[in-house]
Amino acid sequence: MKTNPSPATLRRILLASIACLATAAGQIVISEIHYHPVEEPEFDATTYNPVLDLTDDVHEFIEIQNTGSAAVDLGGWTLSGAVDYTFPSGTSIAAGGYKVIAKNPTRIQTVYSISGVLGAYTGKLSNTGDSIRLRNAENSTVDSVTYSSSFPWAQSAGALGAQDRFTGLTSSNYQYKGRSLQRVSVTATSSDPANWLASPLTGPTPGSAQSVTRVVPKPIIISKSHAQTSDGSTNVQPSQPVTIHCSFSSTASLSAVQLEWFIDTADSSTETRNTTTMTDLGNGAYTASIAGQAARSVIRYRIKANRGDGSEVVSPRADDPAIAAVGANNALEAWHGYFVSATGRTTPYPIYDLLISTTNLTTIKTNAQQGGQMSTSTRRVTAASATGLPREVPWVTSTAPQWNGTVPAVFAYNGELFDVRIRFH
């Protein structure tokens, strides 16, 4: 005789089913986000037509990872937020496996020499920041990420983080790839920017393990500020001490937090770099002071700490673009900074300061003069083989004066500091 299960039995079955769903949900995570691939325009040498339509970041993708020991049926699961996609019935992800979902699956398979890429999803991953949600067939959120291209997230994941003239890189060498956001720990929270690193310059790794994995992400600085100690103004005045504050995402393995700083002199690359121990305020907050400096001083600073692997620079992040030409021979480094304003200026208009080294000023002067306007050897247009083209590589040698060649300089306004590239026009 057939009997109905008792309420207690039904309850055990229901709880077991919920537990199975929770296990499946908890073991699937968003593991890689390529939201801003490098896509330099390319043209056919014969027709001069574009090789590809690159108007919509066709090389972006999202990767998910199964961290569990059993395969999971993804049929009816969805991606939503910045993009929309429903996993077809019969789709599964193997234990320890990965699934890549792309805007243009064919392009991702071609560029990375992989197969099985899902898609196409609709929508677009914003180049400045967006949200992605992974939901199961019961419409419960399994994992979600809200990323950003700005501090405190890894800025180089936005293409290469800055234009080539700032980074010194050649974007065409990283065509269709660039740097993605890669998850560090599958158990740490998805929303923590410390849990995401920019992939190495070798590129993203869709469908395979991330470049760096850790059980606990290294703490990063999630807030920082500098202000005049006396009144909190960011428009620092001469001889006024400045207080630096910062807060870490966690205190895991954190010790020996230090402030490194120096006075950046335009005509020198060997300035003395000072190190100050920062005061622990508790809960991951630290502070230190920099003595007052003369008017129109450029102050560079960065924060170092031991996060379990010895002292290293924490902010700016190692995966932020290095654009400050402060090293030997204009070598690029990553630094924060501020400007000490000059007093005694009376004007109703905004005041800007532009600081450039003597060497760089001479370079752009040489570029502009080109040995005289009528000179046939240094005129703007090169030889007949390059008629109509400006004096730029590859039409002239890299050592020749460049009409549009830029050099590094520093632009300052209201205490803020900007590393720029300038040229005569």
Side-chain angles (χ1 to χ4, degrees):
M1 181 176 67
K2 185 176 181 180
T3 60
N4 293 324
S6 67
T9 301
L10 285 173
R11 183 173 181 273
R12 285 196 298 271
I13 293 172
L14 178 61
L15 289 174
S17 299
I18 293 173
C20 288
L21 287 173
T23 300
Q27 70 187 38
I28 309 296
V29 298
I30 298 170
S31 52
E32 187 167 10
I33 305 168
H34 197 20
Y35 66 85
H36 191 181
V38 171
E39 294 182 333
E40 293 293 302
E42 289 185 302
F43 300 92
D44 183 87
T46 302
T47 65
Y48 301 104
N49 291 322
V51 174
L52 287 173
D53 180 359
L54 300 174
T55 56
D56 253 346
D57 283 359
V58 297
H59 296 92
E60 63 179 40
F61 67 81
I62 298 166
E63 177 195 81
I64 62 174
Q65 179 182 354
N66 182 356
T67 68
S69 57
V72 174
D73 180 5
L74 296 176
W77 287 43
T78 61
L79 286 172
S80 61
V83 303
D84 288 290
Y85 179 74
T86 300
F87 291 82
S89 177
T91 304
S92 65
I93 183 169
Y98 302 84
K99 284 291 182 185
V100 179
I101 312 94
K103 187 176 186 68
N104 188 322
T106 300
R107 286 300 305 164
I108 298 303
Q109 292 180 153
T110 298
V111 170
Y112 294 96
S113 300
I114 59 176
S115 61
V117 177
L118 301 174
Y121 57 62
T122 58
K124 182 180 183 296
L125 298 173
S126 171
N127 290 347
T128 57
D130 227 321
S131 296
I132 305 167
R133 290 181 294 277
L134 176 65
R135 290 190 170 107
N136 61 22
E138 289 71 36
N139 204 34
S140 297
T141 299
V142 173
D143 197 13
S144 64
V145 179
T146 298
Y147 67 87
S148 173
S149 63
S150 304
F151 172 87
W153 288 76
Q155 296 173 38
S156 288
L160 296 172
Q163 295 178 342
D164 291 359
R165 69 182 66 184
F166 289 96
T167 63
L169 300 172
T170 302
S171 288
S172 58
N173 293 338
Y174 310 95
Q175 182 71 315
Y176 306 139
K177 295 184 178 182
R179 305 181 74 175
S180 64
L181 279 177
Q182 295 190 332
R183 188 174 185 139
V184 175
S185 170
V186 297
T187 55
T189 177
S190 302
S191 60
D192 183 0
N195 199 21
W196 295 88
L197 300 176
S199 63
L201 283 171
T202 50
T205 58
S208 59
Q210 316 313 325
S211 301
V212 175
T213 57
R214 298 174 63 94
V215 175
V216 179
K218 288 185 177 183
I220 64 166
I221 289 174
I222 55 174
S223 69
K224 61 172 179 61
S225 65
H226 60 262
Q228 196 163 264
T229 305
S230 60
D231 59 5
S233 173
T234 56
N235 189 7
V236 179
Q237 299 301 304
S239 304
Q240 291 296 310
V242 169
T243 298
I244 310 294
H245 282 291
C246 70
S247 293
F248 286 82
S249 58
S250 78
T251 57
S253 303
L254 182 66
S255 65
V257 180
Q258 297 178 316
L259 176 71
E260 183 181 15
W261 65 276
F262 70 98
I263 304 170
D264 185 4
T265 305
D267 285 313
S268 175
S269 60
T270 59
E271 299 94 339
T272 299
R273 299 187 177 186
N274 309 284
T275 301
T276 303
T277 298
M278 301 192 76
T279 300
D280 186 351
L281 301 177
N283 297 318
Y286 288 81
T287 188
S289 294
I290 296 177
Q293 304 297 329
R296 303 187 80 237
S297 292
V298 173
I299 309 300
R300 304 277 187 179
Y301 71 91
R302 58 189 183 185
I303 298 161
K304 305 174 73 173
N306 184 341
R307 299 181 291 178
D309 295 317
S311 181
E312 58 187 322
V313 176
V314 179
S315 186
R317 292 175 56 141
D319 45 7
D320 286 343
I323 64 171
V326 298
N329 299 315
N330 287 332
L332 300 172
E333 298 178 2
W335 292 82
H336 303 302
Y338 63 89
F339 182 70
V340 181
S341 300
T343 56
R345 292 169 166 175
T346 304
T347 173
Y349 305 106
I351 297 173
Y352 307 100
D353 286 88
L354 183 64
L355 299 96
I356 182 172
S357 71
T358 302
T359 299
N360 288 334
L361 186 62
T362 300
T363 296
I364 59 175
K365 181 179 179 181
T366 301
N367 288 347
Q369 289 180 334
Q370 295 287 286
Q373 184 179 358
M374 303 305 294
S375 170
T376 58
S377 62
T378 57
R379 62 189 179 182
R380 179 179 178 122
V381 177
T382 58
S385 60
T387 299
L389 298 171
R391 295 182 56 81
E392 295 267 332
V393 177
W395 299 290
V396 297
T397 64
S398 60
T399 56
Q402 305 294 303
W403 268 84
N404 291 322
T406 63
V407 296
V410 172
F411 178 81
Y413 169 65
N414 203 31
E416 290 189 82
L417 201 63
F418 304 90
D419 287 294
V420 298
R421 305 285 302 190
I422 67 171
R423 63 182 171 96
F424 277 132
H425 178 65

